[in-house]
């Protein structure tokens, strides 16, 4: 009887290990795990995604500064294809989608240059609103790759 009980436990452990190995094997065959990292798509169109907190009382100042500072600068950048501005009334959030010919061209813009433009943007906003700090808080920045 004791031998039978030990044999049963050994068999249960073997089955558990076998199931785990089978599960691990199936996981390694999922296409998502074998997909190429997004960095390999440097030459394909990409959309920069920015989300900002934009309170309704300062929305007009945000739009004016966007058009005065960012529009001309972006238009002068190699690979810039256009952008769209959206504003969510309920969340008081802005969504900015900037389309680039390729990630390579977008990422080739020096951050120091972007920072200078951002400072000009913030200076115009602060002057227009007579405030000491930029009221537009960056919530999220990321990128979207075109599918299909």
């Amino acid at each position: 009887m004791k031998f039978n009980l030990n044999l049963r436990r050994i068999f249960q452990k073997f089955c558990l290990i076998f199931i785990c190995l089978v599960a691990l094997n199936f996981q390694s065959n999922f296409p998502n795990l074998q997909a190429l990292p997004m960095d390999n798509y440097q030459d394909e169109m990409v959309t920069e995604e920015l989300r900002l907190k934009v309170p309704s009382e300062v929305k007009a100042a945000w739009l004016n500064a966007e058009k005065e500072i960012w529009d001309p600068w972006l238009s002068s950048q190699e690979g810039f294809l256009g952008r769209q501005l959206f504003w969510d009334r309920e969340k008081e959030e802005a969504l900015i989608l900037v389309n680039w010919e390729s990630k390579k061209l977008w990422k080739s813009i020096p951050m120091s240059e972007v920072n200078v433009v951002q400072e000009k943007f913030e200076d115009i906003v602060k002057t227009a609103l007579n405030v000491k700090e930029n009221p537009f808080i960056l919530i999220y920045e990321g990128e979207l790759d075109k599918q299909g």
Side-chain angles (χ1 to χ4, degrees):
M1 186 81 153
K2 194 173 187 179
F3 174 75
N4 213 6
L5 187 61
N6 282 339
L7 189 59
R8 184 180 205 166
R9 284 187 184 153
I10 291 171
F11 181 71
Q12 286 175 337
K13 287 180 184 178
F14 172 78
C15 287
L16 180 62
I17 291 170
F18 180 75
I19 289 170
C20 289
L21 288 173
V22 168
L24 284 172
N25 183 45
F26 280 119
Q27 277 190 337
S28 68
N29 288 329
F30 280 123
N32 291 349
L33 294 176
Q34 295 175 351
L36 295 173
M38 294 309 252
D39 287 342
N40 289 342
Y41 297 98
Q42 293 285 321
D43 294 328
E44 294 184 14
M45 191 191 109
V46 65
T47 300
E48 177 183 6
E49 177 185 6
L50 302 165
R51 292 186 185 272
L52 307 168
K53 191 69 176 167
V54 178
S56 58
E57 63 272 8
V58 293
K59 177 185 166 204
W62 165 68
L63 283 172
N64 289 336
E66 286 285 342
K67 289 177 181 153
E68 186 175 336
I69 299 299
W70 284 109
D71 281 356
W73 182 80
L74 283 168
S75 296
S76 70
Q77 299 305 306
E78 183 182 3
F80 174 72
L81 298 176
R83 74 180 185 140
Q84 296 173 293
L85 304 175
F86 300 92
W87 186 70
D88 184 321
R89 183 184 317 268
E90 288 179 26
K91 294 181 182 179
E92 293 191 326
E93 286 181 11
L95 169 63
I96 304 168
L97 300 175
V98 184
N99 297 315
W100 296 96
E101 189 178 313
S102 71
K103 185 174 180 175
K104 186 177 183 180
L105 289 172
W106 168 35
K107 295 296 183 176
S108 70
I109 300 169
M111 273 312 290
S112 58
E113 192 176 329
V114 174
N115 291 336
V116 167
V117 178
Q118 179 65 26
E119 281 182 37
K120 288 179 185 176
F121 171 84
E122 290 181 19
D123 287 344
I124 284 184
V125 167
K126 291 188 279 189
T127 301
L129 298 173
N130 196 23
V131 295
K132 293 186 191 267
E133 300 220 3
N134 178 14
F136 312 122
I137 300 165
L138 180 65
I139 298 169
Y140 172 81
E141 65 181 308
E143 60 192 66
L144 303 166
D145 293 299
K146 187 173 181 179
Q147 303 297 302

